Amino acid sequence: QVQLVESGGGLVPPGGSLRLSCAVSRSMFSILNMAWYRQAPGKQRELIAAMDRGGITNYRDSVKGRFTISRDNAKNTVYLQMNSLKPEDTAVYYCNTNVMSSDHWGQGTQVTVSS
């Protein structure tokens, strides 16, 4: 079983920062590839950041230099540090992992960037 729980979302003004957390309940967390997705109203879910088990990261171009994905294997937690937030970043953010070809998702956490 894989369970993921996101937290850390909220309302923030443009230019502000938030750190999202995703707690993962699974043994052997350190071998999992992890990712953050987001979905805005009326839009398809999109991949914004990913980190494989070796620590290699990839980012959507629109968030490069502003967002950072990291993980703490001792805490079974993946993070997304978001800086210089823009209204276009408003969405529900989900953490994700894939196990045996199946996607596993958390409940999501709302991020709203507005003045």
Side-chain angles (χ1 to χ4, degrees):
Q1 285 287 339
V2 181
Q3 298 180 96
L4 305 94
V5 180
E6 302 96 336
S7 62
L11 175 64
V12 63
S17 298
L18 286 173
R19 188 179 76 158
L20 307 183
S21 299
C22 175
V24 182
S25 296
R26 188 190 187 276
S27 61
M28 307 296 286
F29 168 77
S30 63
I31 71 171
L32 298 178
N33 301 320
M34 301 298 302
W36 285 97
Y37 287 74
R38 67 187 181 189
Q39 187 166 23
K43 300 290 186 66
Q44 290 191 320
R45 183 173 54 200
E46 63 181 12
L47 173 66
I48 56 172
M51 175 178 282
D52 70 14
R53 63 185 183 182
I56 298 174
T57 60
N58 283 288
Y59 297 92
R60 176 173 290 272
D61 285 345
S62 62
V63 307
K64 286 181 179 177
R66 300 190 298 121
F67 291 11
T68 303
I69 186 172
S70 62
R71 65 196 296 163
D72 186 337
N73 289 337
K75 296 181 178 179
N76 283 20
T77 301
V78 62
Y79 304 96
L80 185 68
Q81 178 67 46
M82 305 185 295
N83 299 325
S84 301
L85 284 162
K86 305 174 181 179
E88 308 94 270
D89 296 318
T90 295
V92 177
Y93 284 70
Y94 301 90
C95 63
N96 163 272
T97 191
N98 187 274
V99 180
M100 299 178 67
S101 77
S102 296
D103 281 315
H104 293 78
W105 302 93
Q107 295 298 117
T109 185
Q110 176 72 48
V111 172
T112 302
V113 184
S114 176
S115 59

